[in-house]
């Protein structure tokens, strides 16, 4: 799975409808070109591809500033379903990769709070498991090649940092930080 696919769906969803330049500008403001290698060409390619897959649909063209009219896109029902599936995988499955996790974290407020916490708890279990596995490998390597032990220390450290981060994020979500999908509107809270 590509982080670009999730990011483009998420940004179009966030705006309700968006044209390619708007998606590009938003993702550049997130520095997605650096951590997810999202380039302008990949954004426009994703918009076209997901339109042919019926995940996005073209809506009326918007006048361009000085050039041709811009085609705007919005999610279809299938696009919404794909977005939800990609978010769930990116937050909860360790093989989804770092760029996909980053994309999902950037789009986290699109999920209901309880659902986001459930997905993050799955990720937490995986970080804990990887940290334990790496620590056991380090112990089993006792007397083995010392430089190989550094790999196990690295993996344990990365997993430990991930565990600490996701635990703190879950705590923040449980404490009510961030406005999430389905939260009561400000001023309507009792």
């Amino acid at each position: 799975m590509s982080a670009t696919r999730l990011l483009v769906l998420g940004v179009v969803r966030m705006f309700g409808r968006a044209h390619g330049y708007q998606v590009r500008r938003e993702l550049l403001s997130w520095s997605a070109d650096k951590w997810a290698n999202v380039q302008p060409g990949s954004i426009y390619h994703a918009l076209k591809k997901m339109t042919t897959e019926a995940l996005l649909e073209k809506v009326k063209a918007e006048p361009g500033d000085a050039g041709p009219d811009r085609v705007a896109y919005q999610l279809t029902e299938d696009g919404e379903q794909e977005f939800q599936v990609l978010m769930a995988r990116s937050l909860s499955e360790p093989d989804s990769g770092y760029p996909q996790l980053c994309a999902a974290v950037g789009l986290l407020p699109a999920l209901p709070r309880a659902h986001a916490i459930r997905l993050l708890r799955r990720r937490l279990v995986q970080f804990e498991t990887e940290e334990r596995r790496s620590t056991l490998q380090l112990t089993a390597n006792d007397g083995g090649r010392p430089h190989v032990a550094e790999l196990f220390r690295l993996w344990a450290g990365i997993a430990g940092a991930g565990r600490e981060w996701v635990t703190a994020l879950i705590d923040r979500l449980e404490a009510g930080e961030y406005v999430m999908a389905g939260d009561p509107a400000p001023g309507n809270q009792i």
Side-chain angles (χ1 to χ4, degrees):
M1 172 190 67
S2 151
T4 302
R5 187 176 181 89
L6 175 56
L7 287 165
V8 170
L9 283 171
V11 170
V12 170
R13 183 182 188 276
M14 186 174 69
F15 285 115
R17 75 163 124 205
H19 52 78
Y21 180 72
Q22 190 176 11
V23 173
R24 177 180 174 216
R25 188 177 58 227
E26 182 67 21
L27 292 178
L28 286 175
S29 76
W30 298 10
S31 297
D33 56 321
K34 294 171 182 54
W35 53 264
N37 197 28
V38 175
Q39 302 302 315
S42 60
I43 293 168
Y44 292 102
H45 174 75
L47 289 167
K48 289 177 185 172
K49 183 173 183 352
M50 288 189 286
T51 300
T52 63
E53 294 172 349
L55 301 177
L56 296 173
E57 63 185 358
K58 292 180 182 180
V59 290
K60 71 174 190 155
E62 299 176 1
D65 294 335
D69 289 350
R70 294 184 176 136
V71 175
Y73 300 86
Q74 66 186 20
L75 263 68
T76 63
E77 285 184 35
D78 287 346
E80 177 64 26
Q81 186 175 18
E82 177 77 356
F83 172 76
Q84 295 295 332
V85 166
L86 294 176
M87 284 291 289
R89 284 182 185 157
S90 298
L91 285 173
S92 67
E93 296 179 7
D95 61 346
S96 64
Y98 178 75
Q100 290 82 359
L101 175 60
C102 291
V105 169
L107 297 164
L108 192 63
L111 298 178
R113 186 176 303 279
H115 183 54
I117 290 170
R118 276 192 305 277
L119 293 170
L120 289 166
R121 285 193 189 286
R122 287 188 210 158
R123 178 66 76 149
L124 177 60
V125 168
Q126 292 154 359
F127 278 133
E128 291 168 340
T129 301
E130 184 57 35
E131 187 177 20
R132 278 193 300 272
R133 181 182 306 126
S134 299
T135 302
L136 288 172
Q137 288 174 308
L138 180 60
T139 304
N141 189 58
D142 191 30
R145 299 185 186 275
H147 63 280
V148 173
E150 291 305 324
L151 289 173
F152 304 137
R153 283 188 191 94
L154 172 63
W155 296 338
I158 291 169
R163 176 187 44 76
E164 290 175 12
W165 167 78
V166 79
T167 299
L169 177 56
I170 290 169
D171 289 347
R172 286 189 292 278
L173 289 170
E174 288 177 336
E177 285 191 40
Y178 313 115
V179 176
M180 304 292 286
D183 282 355
N188 294 343
Q189 299 174 352
I190 298 175

